[in-house]
């Protein structure tokens, strides 16, 4: 009996129209992406960067820990021996076409040299631009260190 | 007797989120025969795990099997390896794993509910569900660092700790989410249209569920008390207020209601996890290599996920076998379709919440 009454009076329909009317005058929740951007969280894993010491020298010691940890062989390091027998970093390559963005390299690094930034827009017109070399990574590193100072906990 | 017509459904179809292919033989509107093909997204992950990757890396690779239950796959693999190597995982790491896995369940169930509303022709409800789902996605990014591929769990613990700010925001957002989920429950429970569309469609009887080995929410919707969280001890679910939820009916409506109730239970559990978070380390160092065989069962959002790991003191595993919940549910789908109206097919398929990238791997 109650079911028939419900059917006849369209109470369900009225209930639904109430929701529609309510949402109609609320501000929209969608973000107009290329013009507005949502800021990623602090833990977000974007593209890689290499940090520099305060005096401008490389933090990376070419210990190959990140390269061995990487599940998909993204990182490639070239190094030679310096004058006093220490390791000198020649080139540090990150192949973004293969990267999973799992963050294992960051955890493996004993000297906090390789980090992940909050950059998520890195599409390029050609593939070879997606392979980042040492200088590119340093540039991003400068951006990251600025970001890090601003977002200190 | 009408003509026999062959209707292909999939591999690309408006109602399907993922590529599965059914070929229906219909007589007028009734289906008389059906063929299923699931292998459209095969990527060879099992083979890759046995040849290319070290055992510490495999956890991150198997997470790529499926987007929605990423945490369950990693959890399954990691638990299996830890049992092989006799690693005692700290209590706090277990709780953090529980947190991530329940957040994942909430997001997956909300997605399933939304899609189900969409195939019933209820576009507004779909939008509402997905708007609320966005909240969970944000929380996942907050806790783990990414919206879908978490890479949170590792052999021996978890990767990132919970800071006080994160915990505060989690509590605030979860409270909002709980209100929204209660509202959604009210809608799904009382809406006349939904009841009319879903009640009595695609009924799985309890006998059928036992015979064809249905798993997950579809099984619980037909009064089968099967839940790996209850049966297999891989995370401390009982400490945080886990409830086994079963429903009567076994139709699409019951399957959806099981998902709604489980979402609410998961939210309750999330609050309990945050309240009872123990102190301690989040990770222990791992030494040695896996040796022997291990079977692990995990309750993924879609049902029982099964992992078999075999190692012989090498960096690379000998065998890794994954059996996913959707694969176990395909036979009952086939059985259900025979004798059903063709118009009910999309809703029935979606009510199982099929995940085909899991199934083909």
């Amino acid at each position: 009996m109650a079911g028939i009454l419900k059917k006849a009076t369209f109470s369900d329909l009225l209930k639904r129209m109430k929701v529609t009317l309510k949402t109609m005058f609320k501000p929209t929740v969608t973000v107009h992406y290329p013009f507005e951007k949502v800021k990623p969280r602090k833990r977000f894993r974007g593209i890689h960067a290499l940090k520099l010491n305060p005096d401008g020298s490389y933090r990376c010691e070419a210990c190959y820990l990140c390269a061995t940890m990487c599940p998909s062989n993204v990182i490639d390091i070239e190094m030679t021996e310096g004058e006093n027998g220490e390791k000198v970093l020649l080139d540090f390559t990150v192949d973004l076409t293969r990267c999973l963005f799992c963050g294992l390299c960051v955890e493996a690094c004993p000297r906090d040299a390789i980090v992940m930034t909050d950059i998520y827009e890195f599409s390029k017109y050609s593939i070879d631009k997606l392979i980042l070399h040492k200088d590119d990574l340093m540039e991003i590193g400068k951006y990251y260190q600025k970001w890090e100072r601003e977002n200190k906990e | 007797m009408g003509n026999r017509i062959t209707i292909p459904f999939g591999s690309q179809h408006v109602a399907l989120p993922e590529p599965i292919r059914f070929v229906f033989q219909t007589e007028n509107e009734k289906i008389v025969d059906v063929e299923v093909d699931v292998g459209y997204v095969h990527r060879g992950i099992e083979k890759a795990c046995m040849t290319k990757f070290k055992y510490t890396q495999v956890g991150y690779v198997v997470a790529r099997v499926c987007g929605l239950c990423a945490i369950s796959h990693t959890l399954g693999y990691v638990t299996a390896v830890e049992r092989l190597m006799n690693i005692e995982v700290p209590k706090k790491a277990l709780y953090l794993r529980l947190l991530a896995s329940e957040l994942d369940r909430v997001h997956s169930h909300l997605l399933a509910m939304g899609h189900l509303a969409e195939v019933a022709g209820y576009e507004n409800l779909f939008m509402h569900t997905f708007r609320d789902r966005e909240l969970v996605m944000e929380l996942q990014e907050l806790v783990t660092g990414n919206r879908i591929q978490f890479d949170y769990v590792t052999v021996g613990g978890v990767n990132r700790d919970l800071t006080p700010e994160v915990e505060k925001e989690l509590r605030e957002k979860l409270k909002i989410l709980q209100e929204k989920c209660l509202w959604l429950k009210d809608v799904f429970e009382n809406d006349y249209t939904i009841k009319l569309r879903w009640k009595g469609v695609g009924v799985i009887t309890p006998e059928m569920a036992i015979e064809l080995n249905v798993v997950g929410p579809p099984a619980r919707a037909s009064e089968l008390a099967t839940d790996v969280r209850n049966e297999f001890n891989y995370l401390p679910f009982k400490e945080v207020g886990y409830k086994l939820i079963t429903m009567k009916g076994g139709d699409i409506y019951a399957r959806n209601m099981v998902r709604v109730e489980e979402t609410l239970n998961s939210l309750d559990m999330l609050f309990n996890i945050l309240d009872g978070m123990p102190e301690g380390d989040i990770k222990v160092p791992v030494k040695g290599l896996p040796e022997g065989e291990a079977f692990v069962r995990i309750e993924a959002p879609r049902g029982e996920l099964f992992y078999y790991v075999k190692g012989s003191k090498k960096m690379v595993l000998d065998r890794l076998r994954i059996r996913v919940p959707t694969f176990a549910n395909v036979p009952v789908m086939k059985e259900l379709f025979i004798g059903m109206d063709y118009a009910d097919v999309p809703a029935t398929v979606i009510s199982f919440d099929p995940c085909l990238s899991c199934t083909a791997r």
Side-chain angles (χ1 to χ4, degrees):
Chain A
M1 186 61 203
I4 298 165
L5 203 69
K6 226 177 171 181
K7 226 196 241 176
T9 54
F10 293 113
S11 65
D12 258 35
L13 189 67
L14 288 174
K15 218 162 110 189
R16 274 179 254 161
M17 287 315 275
K18 204 176 112 198
V19 177
T20 313
L21 279 172
K22 248 194 213 162
T23 13
M24 214 183 221
F25 298 106
K26 274 186 191 162
T28 47
V29 288
T30 41
V31 178
H32 298 272
Y33 162 61
F35 312 110
E36 300 165 33
K37 280 171 194 168
V38 181
K39 215 175 164 226
R41 304 281 179 172
K42 271 181 199 163
R43 285 178 177 180
F44 184 76
R45 302 187 293 271
I47 63 175
H48 307 72
L50 278 180
K51 273 163 94 174
L52 289 172
N53 281 333
D55 58 343
S57 56
Y58 303 138
R59 269 202 189 188
C60 178
E61 281 194 326
C63 64
Y64 286 87
L65 269 179
C66 48
T68 26
M69 273 309 278
C70 184
S72 43
N73 300 331
V74 169
I75 298 168
D76 195 11
I77 305 174
E78 270 179 49
M79 64 108 181
T80 49
E81 206 170 297
E83 280 168 18
N84 307 324
E86 81 276 10
K87 288 177 183 170
V88 175
L89 189 66
L90 274 186
D91 199 0
F92 193 100
T93 326
V94 171
D95 188 351
L96 288 181
T97 54
R98 299 173 60 93
C99 187
L100 300 167
F101 298 99
C102 60
L104 270 181
C105 47
V106 182
E107 276 149 41
C109 189
R111 290 181 54 87
D112 194 22
I114 188 165
V115 285
M116 277 181 150
T117 55
D118 64 339
I119 304 170
Y120 55 91
E121 297 159 309
F122 51 91
S123 38
K124 299 270 158 55
Y125 281 108
S126 64
I127 282 181
D128 47 308
K129 278 184 186 158
L130 279 172
I131 298 166
L132 301 179
H133 290 278
K134 194 172 70 176
D135 300 333
D136 312 323
L137 289 166
M138 294 291 172
E139 279 302 307
I140 308 166
K142 277 175 198 157
Y143 162 81
Y144 176 80
Q145 276 171 320
K146 200 174 140 230
W147 178 89
E148 201 180 26
R149 278 195 291 277
E150 283 164 9
N151 287 286
K152 236 174 199 170
E153 286 181 24
Chain B
M1 275 283 132
N3 294 331
R4 267 190 168 225
I5 306 166
T6 314
I7 305 176
F9 177 77
S11 59
Q12 297 294 325
H13 191 273
V14 213
L16 284 173
E18 295 196 44
I20 186 170
R21 183 155 184 265
F22 297 103
V23 179
F24 295 114
Q25 302 284 342
T26 60
E27 226 159 60
N28 294 333
E29 282 290 304
K30 291 266 182 275
I31 292 163
V32 287
D33 196 13
V34 58
E35 279 171 40
V36 193
D37 187 357
V38 291
Y40 278 88
V41 270
H42 181 72
R43 287 156 292 163
I45 285 186
E46 273 180 19
K47 190 72 188 170
C49 288
M50 292 183 299
T51 50
K52 270 181 90 172
F53 298 106
K54 289 172 201 155
Y55 78 95
T56 44
Q57 297 169 338
V58 170
Y60 297 85
V61 181
V62 290
R64 268 78 188 168
V65 167
C66 173
L68 285 166
C69 31
I71 199 96
S72 313
H73 280 276
T74 326
L75 209 55
Y77 171 72
V78 160
T79 316
V81 169
E82 274 160 5
R83 300 217 162 170
L84 281 186
M85 296 166 69
N86 295 323
I87 298 169
E88 185 91 8
V89 186
K91 192 92 194 248
K92 186 165 188 192
L94 287 181
Y95 265 66
L96 286 170
R97 281 179 186 181
L98 199 54
L99 181 82
S101 113
E102 288 313 300
L103 276 176
D104 187 52
R105 197 180 313 280
V106 172
H107 123 201
S108 179
H109 278 351
L110 281 175
L111 176 119
M113 280 143 64
H115 272 305
L116 204 46
E118 192 197 11
V119 290
Y122 206 157
E123 200 80 15
N124 292 9
L125 192 54
F126 164 71
M127 293 288 178
H128 270 279
T129 326
F130 267 55
R131 188 178 68 187
D132 299 345
R133 179 170 169 259
E134 200 61 27
L135 275 172
V136 201
M137 306 279 271
E138 265 180 39
L139 291 181
Q140 281 169 347
E141 191 183 339
L142 185 72
V143 174
T144 65
N146 230 344
R147 284 159 62 91
I148 287 180
Q149 287 297 349
F150 311 117
D151 298 330
Y152 191 59
V153 181
T154 181
V155 178
V158 295
N159 283 334
R160 294 163 192 86
D161 202 354
L162 204 66
T163 56
E165 300 100 75
V166 171
E167 196 184 325
K168 201 178 144 223
E169 197 174 342
L170 257 178
R171 274 178 202 275
E172 280 168 15
K173 289 271 172 72
L174 280 177
K175 206 149 261 170
I176 302 171
L177 189 69
Q178 199 174 28
E179 271 167 34
K180 296 210 164 165
C181 283
L182 282 170
W183 179 79
L184 277 178
K185 186 193 169 188
D186 180 48
V187 172
F188 278 117
E189 215 166 32
N190 297 324
D191 201 283
Y192 186 71
T193 324
I194 284 181
K195 269 189 197 164
L196 211 60
R197 183 75 186 84
W198 289 347
K199 277 238 159 146
V201 177
V203 179
I204 306 177
T205 54
E207 296 81 47
M208 217 164 135
I210 293 167
E211 195 181 324
L212 292 164
N213 190 16
V214 187
V215 294
R220 268 165 266 152
S222 41
E223 284 183 88
L224 208 65
T226 153
D227 192 328
V228 185
R229 287 180 285 175
N230 202 18
E231 293 158 6
F232 190 78
N233 169 34
Y234 67 102
L235 284 176
F237 277 108
K238 292 198 180 128
E239 292 171 22
V240 291
Y242 163 74
K243 276 191 306 225
L244 178 70
I245 291 153
T246 51
M247 290 263 168
K248 277 182 189 169
D251 48 5
I252 299 179
Y253 179 79
R255 268 168 244 157
N256 193 52
M257 282 322 287
V258 165
R259 290 210 178 91
V260 174
E261 294 288 340
E262 271 184 18
T263 312
L264 288 170
N265 184 16
S266 285
L267 284 169
D268 285 343
M269 270 153 78
L270 282 169
F271 282 115
N272 289 343
I273 292 163
L274 287 177
D275 285 336
M277 183 71 73
E279 295 291 309
D281 291 337
I282 58 161
K283 206 172 178 178
V284 285
V286 179
K287 280 191 192 110
L289 295 164
E291 193 188 13
E293 296 174 296
F295 301 90
V296 163
R297 298 192 298 149
I298 297 283
E299 181 74 16
R302 288 167 183 74
E304 177 199 59
L305 174 68
F306 171 89
Y307 262 80
Y308 166 72
V309 175
K310 186 180 170 208
S312 57
K313 284 252 172 209
K314 276 186 224 138
M315 284 306 271
V316 183
L317 297 170
D318 279 5
R319 182 79 175 102
L320 177 80
R321 167 79 186 137
I322 313 169
R323 199 198 74 160
V324 293
T326 312
F327 188 67
N329 278 343
V330 166
V332 78
M333 262 191 232
K334 217 176 150 183
E335 194 83 348
L336 270 185
F337 287 146
I338 293 168
M340 185 189 258
D341 277 351
Y342 180 71
D344 291 337
V345 166
T348 316
V349 176
I350 301 297
S351 76
F352 282 95
D353 195 8
C355 175
L356 274 307
S357 51
C358 275
T359 314
R361 296 183 296 283

